[in-house]
Amino acid sequence: MEIDLSPKLPKKLALEKNGFALPQYCDSAKVAYVLQGNGVVGIVLPEKEEKILPVKKGDAIALPFGVVTWWYNKEDTEFVVLFLGDTSKAHKRGEFTSFYLNGSNGIFTGFSTEFVGRAWDLEESIVKTLVGKQSGKGIVKLSGVNLPEPKKEHRDGMTLNCEEAPLDVDIKNGGRVVVLNTKNLPLVGEVGLGADLVRLDGSAMCSPGFSCDSALQVTYIVRGSGRVQVVGVDGKRALETTIKAGNLFIVPRYFVVSKIADPDGLEWFSIITTPNPIFTHLAGSIGCWKALSPQVLQAAFNVDADTEKLFRSKRTADAIFFPPPK
């Protein structure tokens, strides 16, 4: 089954034991992120051989335009996959559309028996049998069918486990980040999307910041809860809300976002509409305000020198993530 997380944007695939998502391709490039369980995904890139990957919680898979995929769960635990992508060029703007190769709503059943017979060099009786057997739609439950076994070596270059990858940022009592880009998963270059997994410790804060390369962010809350504020044009607060697991929100281009975790912490997975995102942080030791000269800050804030010095003296050691106040 596919479940809308927010109107016409991301999709979630949830497969129970022996659930099989039929071969399909999508009208949008996207990144898949495994939220729960273990499963198998078959991937066929244009004019390439099939790759059959074992995937598990924390795996991110870049799926370019035109890639054909199928998904299967042979375990007792439900297998749940989140899909986030850029739908600006989609068949229906703002919405993923899947084109199934098989099933009652598949491409195969849309052509006449004459066209199918000619294309695959089959007799009409065989064509009618093939079409007549396709009663399932999108997802079917398999029984007595042995699908190909996944190969660990097929994971190379196709997926990255964000929970096991080396950390790009690690702040004690603050948070940790793994960034998905062309260095650790080159295929995101074809997708045109970067991604990151961020874990914010209990009551910690993520510095206000923005994407300085004209990218927008789509963020899904994986675990925990907290608060988020987004500030946009004319210094107006575009969003202020409480967030929890299962929520999703968008940060438009150049808008500034900041989050504060509740005591149980906060974890989110985001896609960014560029394969190698660059962010500017406003607060902390690497904040852009620290780079401005004292005279400029004093004039810009319209304050005296003592107030400017106090402002500059704070957050000299903390970068990106700020531990909770003592």
Side-chain angles (χ1 to χ4, degrees), residues 67-215:
V67 64
V68 173
T69 63
W70 55 264
W71 305 79
Y72 177 61
N73 179 23
K74 61 179 179 179
E75 306 291 340
D76 293 329
T77 302
E78 190 176 44
F79 176 49
V80 183
V81 185
L82 174 74
F83 298 94
L84 297 174
D86 180 4
T87 58
S88 61
K89 298 179 181 179
H91 177 65
K92 297 178 182 178
R93 186 178 176 89
E95 182 176 353
F96 289 135
T97 298
S98 295
F99 294 82
Y100 291 94
L101 303 189
N102 311 89
S104 61
N105 61 335
I107 302 296
F108 199 87
T109 58
F111 285 104
S112 67
T113 54
E114 177 192 1
F115 272 65
V116 174
R118 286 283 298 275
W120 281 275
D121 191 23
L122 296 170
E123 294 181 3
E124 185 177 2
S125 60
I126 300 299
V127 173
K128 289 182 176 179
T129 298
L130 288 172
V131 174
K133 288 283 188 179
Q134 298 182 61
S135 58
K137 183 177 181 180
I139 291 176
V140 299
K141 189 168 185 176
L142 299 183
S143 177
V145 178
N146 293 319
L147 293 179
E149 288 296 318
K151 299 179 179 180
K152 289 184 178 180
E153 60 269 25
H154 282 182
R155 289 176 54 89
D156 295 341
M158 299 295 292
T159 185
L160 178 77
N161 190 277
C162 296
E163 296 184 355
E164 299 174 354
L167 296 171
D168 293 281
V169 177
D170 186 5
I171 306 296
K172 185 178 180 181
N173 299 322
R176 286 148 296 283
V177 181
V178 170
V179 178
L180 195 71
N181 54 32
T182 55
K183 293 181 179 179
N184 52 23
L185 191 60
L187 200 57
V188 300
E190 294 185 36
V191 176
L193 300 170
D196 59 21
L197 177 68
V198 182
R199 293 175 171 178
L200 198 58
D201 289 339
S203 301
M205 180 181 189
C206 182
S207 169
F210 65 95
S211 172
C212 55
D213 51 3
S214 186

Side-chain angles (χ1 to χ4, degrees), residues 242-316:
T242 299
I243 47 179
K244 61 182 180 180
N247 289 164
L248 180 139
F249 65 94
I250 299 172
V251 180
R253 291 175 173 86
Y254 301 115
F255 281 41
V256 178
V257 60
S258 183
K259 309 176 191 73
I260 297 177
D262 285 342
D264 60 347
L266 185 64
E267 180 178 336
W268 65 86
F269 183 80
S270 298
I271 62 163
I272 305 98
T273 55
T274 177
N276 294 296
I278 301 173
F279 290 93
T280 292
H281 294 277
L282 300 182
S285 59
I286 61 173
C288 65
W289 267 317
K290 295 288 187 185
L292 293 171
S293 60
Q295 297 88 341
V296 170
L297 279 181
Q298 188 177 337
F301 279 114
N302 190 26
V303 295
D304 59 32
D306 289 340
T307 302
E308 188 281 327
K309 287 180 181 179
L310 178 63
F311 176 79
R312 184 180 294 276
S313 69
K314 301 295 184 178
R315 296 291 183 206
T316 57

